[in-house]
Amino acid sequence: MSDVVISIKDLSKSFGNHEVLRKIDMEVRKGEIICIVGSSGSGKSTLLRCINKLEKQTSGKILYHDKEVKDIQRDINEYRSKVGMVFQSFNLFNNMTVLENCMLCTRKVLHIPKEEAFDRAITHLKEVGMAPYINAKPAQLSGGQKQRVAIARALCMNPEVLLFDEPTSALDPEMVGEVLSVMKELAKTGLTMIIVTHEMAFARDVSTRTIFMDSGYVAEDAAPATLFTNPRNPRTREFLGRYLAG
Amino acid sequence: MFENPQTLFEWMIFLTRKYLSMFVEGTVLTLYIAVSGTILGFALGYLVGIIGDIKVNEGDHILKKILIKTVKTIFSVYVEIFRDTPMIVQAMIIYYGFRQMGTEMTSVFAGILVTVLNTGAYMGETVRGGIGSIDYGQREGAWAMGMSPFKTMLYIVLPQAFKNIIPEMANTFLTNLKMTSVLNVIAVQELFMAAKTVGGNYYKYFEAYLIIAAIYFVLCFLFNKLFKLVEIKMEGSPDYALAIEYMDNQ
């Protein structure tokens, strides 16, 4: 069995006549930590949302363990329960406490017993340092705390792959630090992660592979050591210019 | 002095005492139609709103697609018809329409049916708005973990939408309570009918209608307070307790 978890074949996405993604081909292997960087509007988030089927691609396929994920609700649900996602705007359930947020999907999607769901929730909330807040509602938490809860919530599903859509873009610098350190710890556990981010230092230090996207294309796909020191593509060099110089 | 009423106030007391059972029965019937009509109407409205929100996937079975499309079309035609015609006309059409088709239907049943259909049409739109008021991200958060759109609606969207539309539901209920008065045109013996009859007996319409105005007012006032309580209750506490047993790992 190959260790390719997700493969994206010839994926294109248009909104009207605006092509956001153009013929993306990409393979995600087990244990890889892929950071996707690029300017706003280059299609990074759309690519991630296509991978989780939140956007429907215009053409192309997404394969999960060599099997195509079809546009049928049951297949989509099944696939999504294995591929978690963490959003820029946290997307916690506002009508529930932190604990309920972490237990809902394990109970209602995976149908695991209540005690086990509770144990999982506490374990992962401890990992992100949010266990003392189990009784709080999302509105009572800071942005960084919300994002850490969102990460714990996604981990409760024991996902095979976890997608991060600019997880720190809505946070102040201090909170960025607390979320990134949680993600760094996660990276050490061997979890497969795809991270869309503007945190270049984080991408360089944590990723096993960095992808630079530009106007809907994968402009460069390389090891971070290469991409951040000696990018081949002139667009990458331009984008990273300030960073490379600094 | 109440045996020989002279002033407005005395007449009101006199009529109330003399026709107490009529006013009580009218109040009970008004409440019965308003409460049952509203509750069933809300259920219908939620159904309309929720079904209006269903989306189909390209890969779904063709029968599922056709079924959803058909039901959506039927509901939108229904909502349009009932929102764009007066309730008093609907009452006449339904009551006399069924009778002329040979279906026996009591006027109370017809009254409830009209209230349900009317409420359902308005609530459908209200629920749709309530669903729309919950930010889409929360749904995506649930979907992204494999939760089905139906369960997402049930556990995440509806509880919040419900809370947001409580004021609108209170409005609808109060409107229904008052709109039962038009059902006198199909001979429902509700409050308005009681006042009409009582007023006619002594030619004291002003007094009779003042009595039921007071009853409507008190009923609406009380229910309004009740809805406010529910709203406050659902707001929840702004405080939460830190789980100190998990503090040590901080």
Side-chain angles (χ1 to χ4, degrees):
Chain A
M1 205 172 117
S2 79
D3 58 353
V4 175
V5 185
I6 294 174
S7 55
I8 297 158
K9 300 238 186 273
D10 212 15
L11 188 90
S12 295
K13 169 75 186 171
S14 308
F15 293 108
N17 60 3
H18 176 52
E19 272 194 293
V20 186
L21 296 175
R22 305 168 204 236
K23 299 195 174 298
I24 307 279
D25 277 292
M26 192 175 143
E27 282 190 338
V28 181
R29 287 165 199 285
K30 196 166 160 38
E32 272 192 311
I33 295 163
I34 302 176
C35 278
I36 305 178
V37 300
S39 54
S40 298
S42 59
K44 314 180 295 293
S45 288
T46 308
L47 174 61
L48 212 60
R49 290 171 60 81
C50 279
I51 294 178
N52 200 277
K53 291 277 177 182
L54 286 173
E55 298 289 349
K56 197 178 144 17
Q57 68 268 26
T58 312
S59 64
K61 285 183 203 170
I62 290 167
L63 281 73
Y64 176 66
H65 288 294
D66 300 327
K67 223 179 120 219
E68 190 185 347
V69 185
K70 294 214 178 68
D71 191 34
I72 298 168
Q73 196 62 51
R74 188 190 307 227
D75 290 16
I76 294 176
N77 294 348
E78 166 85 22
Y79 163 75
R80 280 174 177 161
S81 71
K82 306 276 187 0
V83 180
M85 186 150 174
V86 173
F87 299 83
Q88 179 178 354
S89 49
F90 328 124
N91 294 353
L92 295 178
F93 312 137
N94 291 333
N95 56 330
M96 297 182 187
T97 64
V98 166
L99 183 64
E100 288 164 343
N101 261 280
C102 292
M103 286 174 68
L104 181 75
C105 290
T106 42
R107 298 274 293 124
K108 303 296 175 192
V109 178
L110 303 180
H111 304 288
I112 64 173
K114 201 170 178 182
E115 297 71 33
E116 199 190 325
F118 177 81
D119 290 343
R120 268 198 205 185
I122 295 294
T123 308
H124 293 299
L125 282 168
K126 276 183 178 166
E127 266 172 49
V128 301
M130 284 301 291
Y133 296 89
I134 48 174
N135 300 317
K137 288 273 181 76
Q140 296 158 327
L141 302 175
S142 73
Q145 291 176 323
K146 282 185 204 173
Q147 196 58 296
R148 286 188 282 153
V149 172
I151 292 172
R153 179 178 74 172
L155 290 173
C156 286
M157 299 292 289
N158 285 348
E160 200 173 350
V161 181
L162 197 46
L163 313 173
F164 292 82
D165 186 10
E166 301 197 27
T168 59
S169 295
L171 303 174
D172 73 33
E174 205 171 11
M175 294 179 186
V176 169
E178 71 189 50
V179 171
L180 289 185
S181 70
V182 164
M183 289 170 65
K184 276 181 189 160
E185 288 306 310
L186 265 186
K188 289 178 196 161
T189 64
L191 177 69
T192 311
M193 309 202 301
I194 307 177
I195 306 162
V196 167
T197 184
H198 288 300
E199 298 292 329
M200 295 306 151
F202 173 82
R204 185 195 58 197
D205 296 343
V206 175
S207 67
T208 56
R209 214 171 113 197
T210 310
I211 288 173
F212 173 72
M213 282 190 67
D214 183 45
S215 46
Y217 293 103
V218 170
E220 196 158 350
D221 180 348
T226 318
L227 195 119
F228 283 100
T229 51
N230 190 19
R232 274 176 299 118
N233 190 306
R235 249 316 264 142
T236 322
R237 210 170 294 140
E238 193 187 339
F239 179 76
L240 294 173
R242 200 164 57 96
Y243 180 77
L244 293 170
Chain B
M1 76 178 176
F2 293 132
E3 299 316 311
N4 185 20
Q6 300 295 325
T7 64
L8 171 80
F9 183 67
E10 282 169 15
W11 267 110
M12 282 173 72
I13 301 283
F14 173 79
L15 291 177
T16 310
R17 285 171 65 156
K18 180 149 179 154
Y19 296 103
L20 188 63
S21 65
M22 249 179 119
F23 285 119
V24 170
E25 277 162 26
T27 307
V28 169
L29 194 56
T30 289
L31 278 175
Y32 174 63
I33 294 174
V35 171
S36 56
T38 306
I39 290 173
L40 293 173
F42 281 175
L44 180 60
Y46 272 94
L47 192 69
V48 171
I50 292 165
I51 288 186
D53 192 73
I54 293 178
K55 287 172 191 68
V56 289
N57 297 295
E58 211 161 89
D60 281 339
H61 198 280
I62 183 81
L63 282 177
K64 186 181 167 189
K65 284 185 191 170
I66 293 173
L67 182 72
I68 289 174
K69 182 109 180 91
T70 314
V71 175
K72 274 188 176 184
T73 312
I74 292 172
F75 275 156
S76 67
V77 170
Y78 148 68
V79 167
E80 211 55 53
I81 289 174
F82 275 83
R83 283 174 82 205
D84 300 353
T85 51
M87 184 164 153
I88 192 165
V89 177
Q90 295 163 12
M92 296 295 246
I93 291 176
I94 287 178
Y95 184 58
Y96 291 109
F98 272 98
R99 294 192 100 187
Q100 282 177 21
M101 282 190 295
T103 313
E104 273 307 312
M105 182 190 270
T106 66
S107 55
V108 173
F109 182 84
I112 293 175
L113 186 62
V114 170
T115 310
V116 169
L117 291 174
N118 215 280
T119 309
Y122 278 95
M123 275 302 289
E125 289 298 292
T126 306
V127 169
R128 199 170 63 88
I131 290 172
S133 74
I134 308 306
D135 74 297
Y136 208 66
Q138 291 190 51
R139 296 202 223 185
E140 292 193 334
W143 295 339
M145 289 192 290
M147 196 157 230
S148 72
F150 178 73
K151 283 182 185 168
T152 305
M153 185 55 81
L154 190 64
Y155 295 113
I156 294 149
V157 181
L158 281 185
Q160 296 179 67
F162 181 84
K163 203 176 109 185
N164 286 359
I165 63 176
I166 287 177
E168 194 51 44
M169 292 199 291
N171 262 343
T172 306
F173 177 71
L174 295 193
T175 305
N176 282 347
L177 193 68
K178 290 175 288 181
M179 284 301 272
T180 52
S181 59
V182 307
L183 297 175
N184 78 88
V185 298
I186 54 168
V188 178
Q189 305 282 334
E190 40 63 62
L191 262 182
F192 188 87
M193 190 68 138
K196 214 161 115 180
T197 315
V198 170
N201 286 355
Y202 283 87
Y203 207 68
K204 287 287 174 193
Y205 288 108
F206 182 50
E207 288 78 359
Y209 285 115
L210 270 183
I211 293 170
I212 64 160
I215 298 175
Y216 280 121
F217 181 85
V218 170
L219 288 180
C220 288
F221 188 83
L222 291 178
F223 273 107
N224 218 348
K225 287 277 171 274
L226 188 73
F227 275 109
K228 274 272 153 30
L229 273 180
V230 174
E231 211 179 326
I232 292 167
K233 191 96 189 150
M234 286 201 71
E235 204 48 63
S237 163
D239 302 322
Y240 63 94
L242 279 176
I244 36 173
E245 62 268 37
Y246 300 118
M247 286 293 262
D248 50 10
N249 75 321
Q250 280 293 70

